[in-house]
Amino acid sequence: MSVKIAKKNNGVKRGLAASIIDKIGLPTLIIAAFFAAVMITAVVLKQSIPVLISDILRRFGMNGVLVLAMVPAIRSGTGPNFALPVGIICGLLAWTIGIEMGLTGIKLVLVVALMATVFAVIAGYLYGRLLNAVKGAEMAIATYTGFSIVGFMALVWLIAPFKSKQMGWMMGSGLRETIKLEGVGAAQIFNKFLSFEVLGITVPTGMLLIFFAFCLLIWLFFRTKTGIAITAGGNNPEFAAASGINIDRNRIIANIISTVLGALGIIIYSQSYGYFQLYSGPLMMAFPAVAGVLIGGATASKANVSHVIIGTFLFQGLLTASAPLANQLFEGSDLSEILRMVLQNGIILYALTQVKGGGK
Amino acid sequence: MKKAKGLLARFNTSYLIDNIVPIIFIGFTLAGFIVAKGLPINFFLSELTSRFYRNAFLVLSLLIPVVAGLGLNFGIVIGAMSGQLAILIVRYLSIDYLHLSGTWELILCFALALPIAAFVGFLTGRLFNKTRGQEMIASLIAGFFANGVYQFLLLFVVGVIIPVRATHPIIKPDGVGVRMTVDMGGLHYALDRIFRVPFMWAVLVVSLLVLALVVVMYLVRRKRGQQGSLVSFIIKVALLAGLACFSLYSIATNSRLMYVRQVPVVTVILIALLCVFNELIMKTKLGQDFRSVGQSQHIAAANGINVDRTRVIAVVISTVLAAWGQIAYVQDMGTLNVYGAHSQIGMFSVAALLVGGASVRKATVPQALIGTLLFHSMFIMSPEIGKAVFGNALLGEYFRTFMAYGVIGLALGIYAWNANRKSRITLDPEPVKEANS
Amino acid sequence: MSDILLSFRNIAKEFSGNRVLNNINLDIKKGEIHALIGENGAGKSTLMNILFGMPVIHTTGGFEGSIEIEGEKVQITSPHEAMARGIGMVHQEFMLIPGYTITENIKINRELTNPNPISRIFGKQLETLDMKRMNADARKALDIMGMDIEEYTMVEGLPVGHMQFIEIAREIDKSGVKLLVFDEPTAVLTESETQNLLSVLEKLAATGIGIIFISHRLDEVMQVSHRVTILRDGELVVTKPTEDTNKHEIAELMVGRKVIMERSGSDKRKISDDIILSIRNLEVKMPGEEVKGFNLEVRKGEIVGIGGLAGQGKLGVANGIMGIFPARGEVIFEGRPLELNNPKGALAAGLAFVSEDRKGVGLLLDDSIELNTVFTSMQIHNQFLINLGFAKFMNARRIRRHTQAMINDLDIRCTSSKQKVGSLSGGNQQKVCLARALTQNPKLLLVSEPTRGIDVGAKKLVLDLLKKLNEEQGLTIVMTSSELAELRSICDRIVIVCEGKVEGILPPDASNTEFGLMMSGSRAGSQQGDGIA
């Protein structure tokens, strides 16, 4: 059964490669081919395919919203949101406060989501203001904004007066690096909602529904008056300005949305994981998200919701599938992690070479 | 009159903004000394000088790309990886075949690092030409990318594609891949131990040499009939003489300062040579091309300068210097953390340079040296302050990481903000008409 | 014969089938200041590009004819080679590095160096700079022009006049320079700086250097040049000694057209006496097209043309009114003052603008005809939207229907209304721009360079369309164009802009001489006493 799926995948790719290469883009095709090859190898090496597909679905849903956060930023012309940690931090802060308040279960998650949204709106607004002040160097500055916030929050985690036993160290002050969500009944809370099993594949229905709901919302947003104006401002700022669009304001709106998606994205991500990480945990989280949307066919200036879905599926799928495989081939090694580093940063570099107009 | 005052105020704020980073750091270090009273001065100086010997070379390797308009080259991590590759190859060969002495191993490391770093530097340079205008983020990502390739090479190619002796001490026990940490053996202190002098003796010698230089320069100038400021001359002489006397006193009384780590003279000479190199190359045709390209690629190209080639040369030089700097760094450490030693040097070196007052477009040798000292003072002080003020040394450690990121972010932000402000089109000030009314 | 320095022989050049230069024969003598005159698009720049072997020539199929230097036929394939053959150019935009001293700028990439031990091993690139000799050379070049500024002064902060001279000094300093081209060198200079420059030109010519002097300022041309060549529509009209002509004749020859389209059907229209738009003291900071105090009143229902040479500020007027570049002054539209620097306000008031920068400001090249057509109306007038209270969604069906109607009305050739605008031809792109402007139902339409870069057939269509809109719907139009013939074919009156101000207003049937003189800023009637008549 699964052999067929893999082969079919491969066949489709080859048959149409010539005609769709322009439309889909070379990087996407290469990764897709790679993914297909890994899946075939997995079958040949008798990996448990249902388990693999379950994992892929889970990772897809976990990362989806974080990748989706790239879309508003890219479309508004500020480039991929390399400052995704800003949003993530808002989500983490909300988690810690929620747990500190002693909430559990769905109540906790909803309160956390609400708080995270509020924090992210404020942080996104400030971040948008910052980006407007540094036009032309957004990507580098966004990266270091993200790093700085993570560095600063490490201080906060260490000295913030949290009392909850779920999060503190056995002794001394400060929060733990890894905080489990099982104790507060929030682990896999979305994954388990309406979850079902078919052919041995576990489908995290709730999480996937939430992800697709966000995709739909973002897609709809870019069909509204404001969304269209944001896109136009990103594509051609001069054109938009001549049509009376307040580009700076739109860039702020887009980055608020992106930051909110980052905040909600980390909530979905950590409930699926079962725990969340403080301190340097969020430091590098922007890069896989950026790579995800780029692999789906986006560029530093163009992105669609479809790029998010395709890219997250391919990238996370490839990483998930290659991990057990690499482990089987090279025992006890971290080949999959290295693959992630090379792929993720390779695709970002490729996208940077496609950015036009620098150089004075 | 009012206008002039406004102008002055604006000049002052902009001066403050331009130099905000060094000001913060000087303030921080001073505050650190006041707060952390228990910190023994000899410990501080030993730490600081050690860190200086290790890092100055790397920080100096950043200068040329800045002058050539490429900005802050986070890609020096790629050079550092080349240096480490050279070390690993030399260590492997030396243990099995060559049986060299530490010094020869070191020389071989330097020689081998040159072609490796030049090659990867060439590739990075080409990449930067393709990512024009986004060099800094590209150099950062290129470093991550190269790290992946480097790990793949050392973990999976070594022992699988490249045959190695499975029982070799730097190879993992299963015969595939290089170990996490590799002992430097004879390489440890290979550069440092060639010639060492006690710290205060070094201070004494240097202050006397500089004193002599100052006096000679002053006399020569007088002879030529040029006017030199007598006051500044006297202050200089007094300071240097005071320093010399102080070091003599320390030596005579065997004060605490005598327990500061000894000065590795050859390492210091290499750092000094690199300073001289950076200054001299700017006085050559190549250096002038770097400057021209850095100031305006368009005008440089219009005048027939091969812009792309010049930029690639700048990156190659920077990468090679970084490779050598990393070798000097590792020989001082004694063990090579194969998969971690390089990962943060890009960020820390860039932060150090910025702390010295450099910007994305302008960086000088004194800025690099002062920056290294200031930045690493902060590094040493942070845990101490954390301990003294909050009773938590970990806090200080997180704090210094935050400062490193923050400094870079702040410097990049201020530069971009200023550049945008300057390039904005504004109406000329209202003409005479308004002045009359 | 030996005093002929440079000869163009039968030069012709086509850009994708469009003949922009035809059969040019021209000699430049040693020590001669030869003025080259022509309107925008007459072929001056193309001729100079050929002389300098610019890539834009080779990549478009080269040129016909040949160039001779001192009687020897030469192939110039790169600007570098032109430089090596002793031909220099003083650029209109300054090629100076602000952070460099005068010497460093003069010597850029031609630095004098001394060998040192390291350079002997690693090559010339590492030779030490010889600042002393470089300074001495720079001094010499500055002295030739009588400039007493120190050669080690930083260029940043110098007055523009000085920068122009440093550019010249750089050319003089190049050894063996035989011919210098000056492209509008006085455009940015003050009166006294101009006089200095002209005397430097004379000094240089006296040393035997040949000079090609491109200028639209006829007074300067009369004052300094020995001979004048006039280009028009890619043809060489005449070359004659300056003393045998006068500026009236030059102006006439520069503008003269064989065919002038007549403004027809004008009797059908009514131009009311109502002033729909009045502009007072408009200043606009548009780089390269600055407006410095522009005044105009537009009556309802007329077509007003704004003409003038490139760089004089005619394009700045519309851009300033529409808030695209910073502007100051007073604009009254339909009796109400219009807030400047506010594109939204201008659009909401009922103005529409078709920009001269079609691919930059004018269109979203990667988006569909549909979006390009309705975008502004959607954003400004909230049209083509479905308002659900919490959000306004685009109304895809209405957008489709409207765009389809526009495609039919304006005869836009496309595969569908979803086609990306970037893949349309220039003429059809322009129609999309017009479609967007018309979708806004404007009370006044500002059109800049409507026919730039589109082929002849499309040009006529666009002009006819404008005329039709004016006649049938009474739409008031302000059209800015570099092509005088085009203005004369549809406008009721033509405003000529010179140096950012209105030089004068002419009816479309005024004589060539009048237009020519006015565009050159040396109108017969205006004796301001500047220059030498």
Side-chain angles (χ1 to χ4, degrees), chain A residues 220 223-225 228-229 232 235-236 238-239 241-245 302, chain C residues 343 347 360-363 366-367 375-376 379-380 382 392-394 436:
Chain A
L220 281 173
R223 294 176 71 81
T224 64
K225 183 184 168 192
I228 291 170
N235 284 346
N236 185 345
E238 286 89 16
F239 172 91
S243 283
I245 305 294
K302 289 216 176 317
Chain C
L347 291 165
V361 179
L363 292 169
D366 279 350
D367 283 299
F375 183 80
T376 311
Q379 297 296 330
I380 300 295
N382 283 323
K392 300 190 190 82
F393 288 96
M394 64 187 231
R436 185 175 60 252

Side-chain angles (χ1 to χ4, degrees), chain C residues 219-453:
Chain C
D219 293 328
E220 289 164 12
V221 168
M222 295 306 296
Q223 181 191 345
V224 79
S225 70
H226 302 122
R227 287 196 299 164
V228 186
T229 290
I230 296 162
L231 294 183
R232 189 207 308 146
D233 296 335
E235 306 269 355
L236 193 153
V237 180
V238 73
T239 297
K240 49 162 61 178
T242 311
E243 60 217 32
D244 295 350
T245 182
N246 57 53
K247 58 180 186 179
H248 295 260
E249 187 190 14
I250 296 175
E252 154 94 53
L253 290 171
M254 178 172 92
V255 174
R257 302 268 163 182
K258 284 156 250 165
V259 201
I260 291 177
M261 286 186 266
E262 276 301 310
R263 178 80 165 90
S264 56
S266 38
D267 40 55
K268 267 198 268 171
R269 301 176 315 133
K270 288 188 287 220
I271 299 175
S272 74
D273 289 334
D274 298 350
I275 304 292
I276 186 167
L277 177 74
S278 122
I279 305 167
R280 277 179 223 137
N281 263 320
L282 182 71
E283 291 173 48
V284 184
K285 186 84 174 179
M286 175 175 176
E289 287 280 347
E290 273 182 57
V291 182
K292 302 162 185 165
F294 180 91
N295 295 293
L296 181 66
E297 303 216 310
V298 179
R299 280 170 297 170
K300 204 168 180 175
E302 71 174 340
I303 303 183
V304 177
I306 303 181
L309 294 167
Q312 298 298 321
K314 65 174 182 297
L315 290 174
V317 176
N319 278 296
I321 295 172
M322 297 307 294
I324 292 169
F325 287 97
R328 179 164 54 210
E330 196 186 356
V331 177
I332 294 168
F333 180 62
E334 290 197 308
R336 271 188 299 274
L338 191 72
E339 192 193 335
L340 289 175
N341 306 311
N342 178 3
K344 200 171 179 175
L347 291 165
L351 290 165
F353 178 43
V354 175
S355 169
E356 71 286 352
D357 184 4
R358 197 164 58 226
K359 297 193 170 174
V361 179
L363 292 169
L364 289 166
L365 291 173
D366 279 350
D367 283 299
S368 64
I369 300 175
E370 290 181 7
L371 185 67
N372 273 283
T373 304
V374 302
F375 183 80
T376 311
S377 306
M378 178 196 287
Q379 297 296 330
I380 300 295
H381 304 299
N382 283 323
Q383 290 165 339
F384 306 102
L385 292 168
I386 305 168
N387 195 344
L388 296 183
F390 63 94
K392 300 190 190 82
F393 288 96
M394 64 187 231
N395 186 339
R397 190 143 25 107
R398 277 204 54 206
I399 292 174
R400 171 88 35 90
R401 218 183 309 141
H402 173 81
T403 310
Q404 207 55 55
M406 276 294 171
I407 288 173
N408 293 337
D409 283 0
L410 304 189
D411 190 22
I412 300 170
R413 304 289 163 87
C414 57
T415 52
S416 86
S417 59
K418 287 259 181 221
Q419 194 180 349
K420 281 187 180 173
V421 167
S423 62
L424 295 176
S425 73
N428 284 311
Q429 287 182 352
Q430 189 64 285
K431 286 181 196 162
V432 174
C433 291
L434 279 166
R436 185 175 60 252
L438 297 178
T439 304
Q440 296 167 49
N441 273 323
K443 296 169 186 156
L444 187 146
L445 178 64
L446 296 156
V447 196
S448 290
E449 304 285 11
T451 63
R452 180 186 278 179

